[in-house]
Every structure is written in structure tokens, then in C-alpha cells.
Amino acid sequence: MADTQGLRVRLTQDQPIPLDIDLYCRPGEVLALVGPSGSGKTTVLRAIAGLHHPEHGSVGCQDEVWMDSARDIYLDAHQRKVGLVFQHYALFPHFTALGNVLEALTHLPKPQRHERARALLRRVHLGGLDDRYPRELSGGQQQRVAVARALAREPKVLLLDEPFSAVDQVTRRRLYRELNELRRSLSMPIVLVTHDLEEATLLADRLCLLHRGVTLQAGTPLEVAARPVSALVCRLMDQQNLFTGQVMSHDPQNRITRLRWRGLILEARYQPEYAVQQRVCWMIQSANVLLHRRGRHSNGDRENPLSGTIVEYMVLGEHVSVLVQVDRQLRINLAMTVPLHVARRNALAYGEQVTVSLLADGIHLMPFEKLRGDRAGEDLV
Amino acid sequence: MDWQALLLSVKLSAYTVLFLLPTGIWTGRRLAYSQFYGKSMVQALLAMPLVLPPTVLGYYLLMSLGDASWAGQLLKSLIGHAPVFSFEGLVIASIIFNLPFAIQPMQRAFEAIPRDVREAASCCGMRPAKVLLRIELPLAWPGIVSAMVMTFAHTLGEFGVVLMVGGNIPGETKTIAIAIYDRVQAFDNEAAAVMSAFLLFFSMIMIALTYLITARTRTFHG
């Protein structure tokens, strides 16, 4: 049974956007609500904070009930001990950085407030900027004031609504590090809303993938990315290598499931929950597509080898995103990520022929559904 | 210079502003933040004095405040005499005539406060009354002040409605605008010129003040 010290949220509504949410966030855990625009993630956050009143459900933290439609309990935002960092920070423009934090410290006796507010600003690395007005602060500094203000109330839950979307890439990296450092000292549940999967993977212990107001899957970011429960989750997690195939056989002894795909037999991780002859969707993360080194063969090369032509070659910092066309007629491409130095050493370039291996352990099966732009039938050939 | 008329005008303006300050804040805030059935209708009605000729508004006020109307009877029982052709009647007329001048700038001022700033105040633990006092009023204050300045200046110069509802009774309903008309009718151009110049400079100062306040608002919001 789950412990009851964390944040419990259960929401259902039909209007203005349909919601059917059930989630739990442990104390000290960062839970990312991830989903495309309109998936309802911000609405969930607002409902936790008491800024949105859903039709049915309950919200509670520790021994407190903030909302319970069955018992007609509904506490307003000011009655819930919630710290919320808004997407655009929502600082009070007529107060200084210190003043903004002071406004959230009214639960303390007056003589203690200034000292506490200064300590909070120092904690978010803003010492010395106490007297600046929000308009005199950079985006990153404003975000830090917003975090200090959210923590000032000693909240039972910290909510972050896309807090990094309004700052540049360099500042964002620095703020990620700061948040990671800060969260280690915090013991409350932290809910982070983001549409950025990389951000969720970097910052969250668990993520909850929302789509049209419904939780599709919850788990650690790596788990959800590597083992999506459906093709839709796979697509929302931005996994490009999604195909259809047919289960050929199971080999429990070697923990292998064999899969037919385009006339090839692929070896996959043992997944006996899918029956032999059953049509399935399958995926593999681009990191599990391995490049064969030219002229130096290894044992791993025998694992699901495939040849193809490079049809896209994009340098993304220290990595290269490569698309290998394994079937020209059907235009079936495999996406893979290669470290830049490996790509250079193997002289990868547009139009080059390469051989790759699909790691059996990385091949994940999902229930069959027709795929967009559809090669569903042809994949099986 | 008809000092009695000037004093009466200032008194009328002050009463109007005093009444419209709380009313305007409440109504402007309500129109800015709440959605309710018939909101557009309410806004349209409140804007009517902007487009109606003052004489038309004055005529209807004269009718509705007269002895024959229930409102006139009610007011008569409250103040002891008929509201028309009295200072009290002028105040009522002036309030109604100034509704859009007071409410609209206040509504815009409240609308200019981002929703998330108000919500952040709630999330900081502020009760609604405290959000109003600590966040909304300080941020909307320049808009509220400029609404009050405009209302004051506008009442000072109002002619049509005052003449229709109040007539021209010295010390009771003869405001400075009426006094100017009165002096011109009596070929006393000198007195009319002095009073006109006074109203001209006064209005200019008021308008300048309003622009100054509005410019200061921008430093907060942008």
C-alpha cells in the first residue's frame, strides 16, 4: 500500500477539457507531468493548487484534505499550503525581490520575516539583489525569486509550471543544476509540468505521461522511454523507431522472443505476453541501434544485423543523429544516435552504406495498432 | 469670477468622485474579472452616457427624478424636498453621467493585472481581501487615480445635464459652467473670459496629470 505522506490526486471532469487523472507523488520525489499542449497537465497543476475547480475528485497531502467532491470539501488556494512557480513567474511588479518573498511569509512573526526572506534569496543564489524590482532582473533571476517565494510559505507541495520555458538554453542548463541541488534539501513532493522530455528525464524521478486529460503511463523516465505501453506513448515519448511485426516464437530458455519483420527474423527480449502469430507494434530506442565498426567485427555484430544507406546526418553538439534507410522501396528508416567521434572515425556521411545491430534487449513489443502514414501491412512482408 | 458657482462646482465634483471611487472600484473589478449573464448589456448601459447627448440624458433624469416618478417620490421622502432643481438632484445626475468616465478606466486597470499575478498572491496565502489591498489596488491605482481626475474635471465642466436637472439657481444648482453661459447671455464677456480661462487651465492640468500617472504605470507593467 502506498504511504500516505505524499500528494494524492484523483480528478475527473468533462468540461472544459476532459480529465481522468489518478496520481501519487511521494515526499521528496519529483514527478513530471508530461504531455503535448492541451493534454491537461497545467489544469491538473492548477487543480492541485486550488486555482481550478474540477467536477469530481480529491486532492490531499499528508493528513490534509484540500478537495473532496464526495464530501463537498473545497479549500481555496490561500488555504492550501502549496508553493507554485508560474510559467512566467508572476512576480509582484511593485515589490522588490525581497518584498516578493516577504509577501509569502506572513505566517511568521514580523521580526523574523526579513531574515527568513534574505536567507531564502541566498538559498537560490540571489543574495545582494534583494532591492531589485522584477523588471530589473534577468529571466533566470526572476525564476529564482519565484522559487524563493514559493518555498517561503513552507509548502507541503511544490508545484512547477514549465518554469524553464521562458529562459535561454544556457540559463536553463544552469537552473536545471540549481534545481537538482535544491531538491535534495527539500522533503516535500514536487510536481513539475513540462512538455520537454529531456527536461523530465533530467529532473524527474518519475514521469506521468498525459494525453487528452488521461494518464497514459507513469514510471521512471527511462522506463517509460524504453518500455512504452502503447504505440501512442512511444510516439509521445518521441521514439522514432516504431514498426509493426508478428510474433514468430518464444524461446523461454534463452529468454528470447522471435519477431518477423519485413521477411527478417529479429530476436527480441523475451515477452511471452504476446501470443505466437499475434501482430504487434514494436520499438527500439535509437541508443539501442548500434553501428558496426568498419573493418573490425565483434560478436555483438551478429545481433539482428541490418544494412542500409544514411539518408540523414545531423550533428547535435557532441552527438550525431543518423537516419539509416533499411528499405528503399518502403522508405523504412532507422534512427540512431552516435557519438561525434565515433561518427568521424567511421567516416559516416550522407549516402554512405552502413551496417547496424538492433540490440535484442532493446526491442520492446506493444499491442498492435495501425501506424500513421501507414506501412503497417507492408512492414510484415 | 463667480466664486459661489466655482465652489458649488468643486463641491459637486467632490461628491461625485467620493461616491464613484468605491462604486467604480467594485464595478470595474467585477467587470474585469467575472463572467456573468448579461455582462455585455451592463457594459453597454454603463457606456450610454458617452454617446447620449447630455440634454437627452438630462431629460430622462428630469422625468425619472420628478414628482411623478417613484424614484422622485422616494428621494423626496429621504431628503425632504424634490430632487430636481436641487443640489442633491445634481449629485445624482452627475454620478450617472460620470459612470463610464469612472468605471471604464478602472476596469482597464484591473484587466491589465495578469491573472497569474493575482493567483500567485492567493498561492502566497493571501485572502481575497488582502489580494485586493496588497496586489490589485496598488497595481490598478494609477488607473483609479486617473479615473477620479477625469471624473472631477468632467463634472466641473458639465453643462447640459446640469442645466436640465438643476436649472440655474445661485448657490444651489448654478455651477461654473452655467455661470459662464449666464454671463455670456448678460453680455458680461469679461467675467465669462476669466471663468473660461480658469476652466481651460484647470482642465489642462488635470489631463497632464492623468498622462503623467499613466506613464508611471508603464514602468510597473513593462
Side-chain angles (χ1 to χ4, degrees):
Chain A
M1 196 176 131
D3 69 282
T4 53
Q5 289 305 298
L7 171 75
R8 307 170 302 277
V9 182
R10 200 169 46 76
L11 305 170
T12 49
Q13 68 170 29
D14 297 325
Q15 293 287 333
I17 60 160
L19 275 188
D20 189 0
I21 301 290
D22 193 349
L23 55 89
Y24 179 76
C25 183
R26 282 186 288 274
E29 179 182 62
V30 177
L31 173 72
L33 297 182
V34 186
S37 311
S39 60
K41 51 195 193 300
T42 294
T43 309
V44 173
L45 203 76
R46 291 173 59 79
I48 298 172
L51 300 169
H52 171 71
H53 194 162
E55 286 163 18
H56 305 287
S58 60
V59 178
C61 191
Q62 292 178 11
D63 48 357
E64 292 182 9
V65 178
W66 291 340
M67 179 208 153
D68 188 347
S69 58
R71 289 189 282 161
D72 210 19
I73 296 174
Y74 183 80
L75 297 191
D76 282 331
H78 71 275
Q79 295 166 312
R80 305 182 185 196
K81 279 209 140 193
V82 163
L84 174 52
V85 177
F86 288 80
Q87 187 173 6
H88 299 288
Y89 320 131
L91 297 179
F92 308 133
H94 55 309
F95 288 122
T96 59
L98 189 74
N100 266 276
V101 181
L102 280 172
E103 287 304 307
L105 283 170
T106 45
H107 58 287
L108 291 182
K110 259 191 179 162
Q112 293 175 21
R113 290 181 197 166
H114 269 80
E115 199 185 321
R116 177 91 183 109
R118 288 207 180 87
L120 279 162
L121 286 174
R122 277 198 303 275
R123 193 170 170 189
V124 294
H125 310 290
L126 273 185
L129 298 179
D130 300 4
D131 298 328
R132 296 262 185 100
Y133 282 90
R135 62 178 180 275
E136 298 165 338
L137 296 170
S138 70
Q141 289 167 337
Q142 289 184 28
Q143 198 242 36
R144 292 186 187 110
V145 177
V147 171
R149 186 178 66 179
L151 291 175
R153 222 180 147 202
E154 289 162 29
K156 296 199 163 171
V157 178
L158 181 62
L159 306 173
L160 309 166
D161 186 7
E162 307 218 15
F164 307 103
S165 63
V167 289
D168 60 85
Q169 188 75 29
V170 178
T171 311
R172 194 178 303 171
R173 295 254 161 228
R174 202 168 58 232
L175 292 173
Y176 284 164
R177 275 199 292 277
E178 285 181 20
L179 182 72
N180 256 330
E181 180 195 309
L182 182 71
R183 61 155 293 196
R184 280 199 288 274
S185 62
L186 300 175
S187 55
M188 75 281 274
I190 301 170
V191 181
L192 167 75
V193 159
T194 179
H195 63 269
D196 187 333
L197 286 165
E198 193 195 353
E199 190 170 295
T201 312
L202 269 172
L203 300 172
D205 301 307
R206 278 193 316 130
L207 73 77
C208 179
L209 186 68
L210 301 185
H211 183 63
R212 293 182 182 156
V214 178
T215 310
L216 290 183
Q217 192 172 353
T220 67
L222 294 179
E223 202 173 270
V224 180
R227 310 233 167 132
V229 295
S230 66
L232 177 60
V233 172
C234 183
R235 270 198 294 263
L236 291 174
M237 291 301 289
D238 199 25
Q239 301 294 337
Q240 297 176 62
N241 298 325
L242 172 65
F243 309 99
T244 55
Q246 189 173 27
V247 176
M248 293 309 294
S249 65
H250 293 300
D251 180 352
Q253 232 158 17
N254 293 312
R255 314 289 296 163
I256 282 171
T257 290
R258 288 193 182 81
L259 183 70
R260 195 158 79 126
W261 179 57
R262 303 169 48 246
L264 298 169
I265 303 293
L266 298 179
E267 289 185 349
R269 182 169 50 82
Y270 184 52
Q271 293 161 83
E273 59 272 30
Y274 297 95
V276 173
Q277 298 299 324
Q278 189 180 340
R279 292 177 85 188
V280 289
C281 282
W282 68 273
M283 60 80 66
I284 183 164
Q285 285 182 284
S286 55
N288 287 328
V289 181
L290 299 190
L291 180 74
H292 290 192
R293 290 170 71 175
R294 285 189 183 163
R296 271 182 67 181
H297 297 289
S298 69
N299 284 343
D301 291 357
R302 286 200 294 270
E303 203 165 340
N304 300 322
L306 284 171
S307 303
T309 313
I310 295 178
V311 290
E312 193 182 285
Y313 182 90
M314 272 196 304
V315 181
L316 306 167
E318 291 169 9
H319 285 82
V320 183
S321 163
V322 181
L323 266 190
V324 180
Q325 192 159 76
V326 291
D327 190 321
R328 191 188 283 179
Q329 241 181 347
L330 299 174
R331 290 198 181 162
I332 291 176
N333 300 331
L334 268 174
M336 62 191 289
T337 317
V338 185
L340 184 58
H341 65 93
V342 173
R344 283 192 179 146
R345 198 188 301 139
N346 288 280
L348 298 190
Y350 181 83
E352 287 289 318
Q353 283 285 321
V354 286
T355 316
V356 295
S357 264
L358 307 186
L359 283 187
D361 209 38
I363 295 182
H364 172 73
L365 309 188
M366 293 158 289
F368 178 80
E369 64 184 82
K370 229 171 163 203
L371 298 181
R372 211 187 309 164
D374 206 1
R375 305 186 299 255
E378 298 95 315
D379 275 8
L380 289 166
V381 178
Chain B
M1 182 70 154
D2 187 341
W3 292 106
Q4 192 186 39
L6 177 65
L7 199 68
L8 189 77
S9 282
V10 171
K11 202 168 115 186
L12 178 65
S13 303
Y15 277 115
T16 309
V17 166
L18 274 179
F19 182 86
L20 282 177
L21 179 65
T23 322
I25 289 173
W26 188 86
T27 317
R29 188 174 174 278
R30 189 83 215 271
L31 289 172
Y33 300 150
S34 312
Q35 294 302 325
F36 53 88
Y37 187 74
K39 182 174 165 179
S40 305
M41 198 59 182
V42 172
Q43 294 192 98
L45 273 174
L46 287 172
M48 282 306 277
L50 289 177
V51 289
L52 273 184
T55 42
V56 174
L57 190 69
Y59 169 76
Y60 283 117
L61 281 169
L62 194 62
M63 291 300 109
S64 54
L65 295 177
D67 270 349
S69 77
W70 64 266
Q73 289 294 337
L74 181 76
L75 283 163
K76 193 175 180 178
S77 65
L78 282 174
I79 59 178
H81 54 82
V84 290
F85 305 116
S86 77
F87 181 71
E88 288 84 353
L90 270 196
V91 173
I92 293 167
S94 171
I95 286 167
I96 290 170
F97 190 67
N98 275 297
L99 282 174
F101 294 92
I103 291 169
Q104 285 187 353
M106 293 195 205
Q107 183 184 345
R108 303 286 166 259
F110 282 112
E111 279 169 351
I113 304 172
R115 185 176 77 162
D116 60 359
V117 169
R118 291 183 285 122
E119 290 177 341
S122 300
C123 290
C124 283
M126 294 186 203
R127 291 165 182 283
K130 199 172 175 196
V131 178
L132 176 69
L133 286 176
R134 297 287 297 168
I135 308 298
E136 293 173 13
L137 284 182
L139 290 176
W141 196 243
I144 295 168
V145 171
S146 82
M148 292 298 95
V149 171
M150 292 299 281
T151 304
F152 193 92
H154 188 241
T155 313
L156 214 56
E158 178 44 33
F159 177 79
V161 174
V162 174
L163 193 65
M164 291 292 280
V165 178
N168 183 5
I169 307 165
E172 183 70 25
T173 62
K174 187 179 177 185
T175 62
I176 188 157
I178 306 280
I180 292 169
Y181 175 72
D182 196 44
R183 288 299 85 208
V184 172
Q185 292 288 301
F187 299 105
D188 184 357
N189 279 348
E190 204 178 318
V194 171
M195 288 191 277
S196 297
F198 174 81
L199 271 193
L200 175 71
F201 283 111
F202 183 81
S203 303
M204 271 175 64
I205 290 166
M206 288 290 169
I207 296 287
L209 206 63
T210 312
Y211 277 105
L212 193 73
I213 292 163
T214 319
R216 287 192 64 182
T217 326
R218 288 203 193 103
T219 56
F220 271 152
H221 291 295

